[in-house]
Amino acid sequence: MYLAVKGGTAVRYVLSANRALIVPEYQRDFAWGAKEGRQLLDDLLEHLDGIDDHADVEPYFLGTIILTALDDSRGGGVIAPSALEIVDGQQRLITLTILLACLRDLEDDPERKSSIDAHIGRSDATGVAGPPILQLRE
């Protein structure tokens, strides 16, 4: 089962606290360095350049990200719709998560810091921080 949304999906939906994104064993290692990370950040900043009201920002096309629900090898069913494997887009999702973690750590406002953190780690009903949304393989 693939997660496909016509017309695009906001990254905040993909990196939401109610799901886990898992890098499967067959994926290549994370290979982006400072050059690729800087290029992604520069592209995002260029897209936002000159915009005063970020509520009116046009969507930015990040590229195709393909996610698939995990299969339960014991019964052939889906383990949980909240656990998805990354088929395509691993480098971008990891880099965005790193950038979000940097922004969170630089943020002084506790409310904004918490809002950013909600796209990095899952939390329980009481708000206690739990495991990261993006789960890398060993």
Side-chain angles (χ1 to χ4, degrees), residues 5-69:
V5 179
K6 187 175 182 177
T9 301
V11 170
R12 71 175 171 261
Y13 174 76
V14 175
L15 294 176
S16 69
N18 64 347
R19 79 180 77 253
L21 299 177
I22 299 167
V23 177
E25 291 297 323
Y26 61 80
Q27 284 287 359
R28 68 184 172 118
D29 292 338
F30 178 71
W32 277 19
K35 177 184 172 188
E36 293 84 4
R38 187 173 297 116
Q39 182 65 56
L40 177 60
L41 180 58
D42 287 347
D43 290 347
L44 291 169
L45 291 174
E46 182 180 326
H47 181 72
L48 297 173
D49 190 33
I51 298 172
D52 293 326
D53 183 4
H54 290 153
D56 294 329
V57 162
E58 289 292 319
Y60 173 78
F61 181 66
L62 186 62
T64 301
I65 295 173
I66 301 172
L67 308 170
T68 183

Side-chain angles (χ1 to χ4, degrees), residues 50-106:
I51 298 172
D52 293 326
D53 183 4
H54 290 153
D56 294 329
V57 162
E58 289 292 319
Y60 173 78
F61 181 66
L62 186 62
T64 301
I65 295 173
I66 301 172
L67 308 170
T68 183
L70 290 171
D71 290 331
D72 181 350
S73 59
R74 295 164 302 201
V78 174
I79 290 176
S82 61
L84 302 169
E85 283 189 329
I86 303 169
V87 175
D88 185 39
Q90 169 196 353
Q91 307 294 318
R92 287 165 284 153
L93 288 171
I94 291 173
T95 303
L96 284 173
T97 301
I98 292 168
L99 290 172
L100 284 170
C102 291
L103 290 172
R104 176 204 55 202
D105 293 348
L106 292 170

